[in-house]
């Protein structure tokens, strides 16, 4: 019910004039992907045993140490240690002060991921910064770590 999106599920969703514009393309896409055609009242009953907290990669940023002061015009090396994982690591995303900076592909079996950048080349650099890395496995489970670093005057 578009007038009460947080309310109870509609008794008859097909009575909404927009229903056919959403349900039909979704059903066609699903059939095209090999999924069986389901009645709109059929709910999934399987348990997702892949995307669980125990399968999330566990990571730490081993270098640089937190609260380090760096020269913004010098290359900053970042090392991420993968201490625990169930599935192979696929990639790492890097964020500086909440803004996506880069994506790094992982080599099969990698337990350490490295990334380098020159802080001064980032538009959102400030005197105190938050570096966040997010590691994804092949099933898109994710683990993240964050550190704070400071820059000297430019």
């Amino acid at each position: 019910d578009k007038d009460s999106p947080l309310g109870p599920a509609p008794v008859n969703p097909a009575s909404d004039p927009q229903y056919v514009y959403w349900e039909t393309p979704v059903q066609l896409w699903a059939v095209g992907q090999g999924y069986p055609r389901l009645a709109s009242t059929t709910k999934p009953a399987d348990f997702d045993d892949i995307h669980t907290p125990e399968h999330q990669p566990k990571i730490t940023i081993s270098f640089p140490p937190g609260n380090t002061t760096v020269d913004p015009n010098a290359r900053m090396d970042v090392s991420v240690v993968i201490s625990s994982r169930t599935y192979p690591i696929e990639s790492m995303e890097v964020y500086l002060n909440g803004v996506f900076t880069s994506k790094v592909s992982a080599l099969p079996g990698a337990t350490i991921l490295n990334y380098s950048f020159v802080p001064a080349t980032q538009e959102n650099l400030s005197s105190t910064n938050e570096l966040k890395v997010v590691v994804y496995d092949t099933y898109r489970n994710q683990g993240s770590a964050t550190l704070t670093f400071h820059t000297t005057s430019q």
Side-chain angles (χ1 to χ4, degrees):
D1 181 0
K2 66 183 173 290
D3 296 324
S4 180
L6 298 177
V11 175
N12 182 10
S15 66
D16 186 316
Q18 296 296 313
Y19 177 81
V20 71
Y21 297 114
W22 288 94
E23 187 63 19
T24 302
V26 169
Q27 287 287 340
L28 289 172
W29 174 87
V31 169
Q33 301 302 310
Y35 294 101
R37 188 168 183 86
L38 299 174
S40 61
T41 58
T42 305
K43 294 181 183 178
D46 297 333
F47 174 74
D48 179 0
D49 61 351
I50 293 175
H51 301 97
T52 60
E54 57 269 10
H55 292 308
Q56 293 175 342
K58 308 295 185 277
I59 66 168
T60 56
I61 300 173
S62 63
F63 190 84
N67 289 312
T68 298
T69 299
V70 301
D71 176 350
N73 296 304
R75 185 179 83 182
M76 181 173 165
D77 296 321
V78 179
S79 290
V80 176
V81 175
I82 302 158
S83 57
S84 171
R85 64 169 177 76
T86 303
Y87 306 109
I89 299 301
E90 183 175 79
S91 64
M92 173 176 74
E93 292 179 352
V94 181
Y95 296 84
L96 181 62
N97 297 324
V99 176
F100 175 79
T101 301
S102 185
K103 181 175 182 177
V104 178
S105 295
L107 293 173
T111 57
I112 297 176
L113 300 174
N114 295 304
Y115 175 72
S116 297
F117 71 107
V118 176
T121 63
Q122 305 300 310
E123 293 181 17
N124 62 334
L125 187 69
S126 63
S127 59
T128 300
N129 302 278
E130 179 184 85
L131 182 74
K132 178 179 181 180
V133 294
V134 182
V135 172
Y136 294 92
D137 69 18
T138 53
Y139 288 101
R140 302 301 287 166
N141 290 307
Q142 62 179 305
S144 65
T146 305
L147 73 77
T148 299
F149 71 93
H150 309 279
T151 56
T152 58
S153 299
Q154 294 186 6

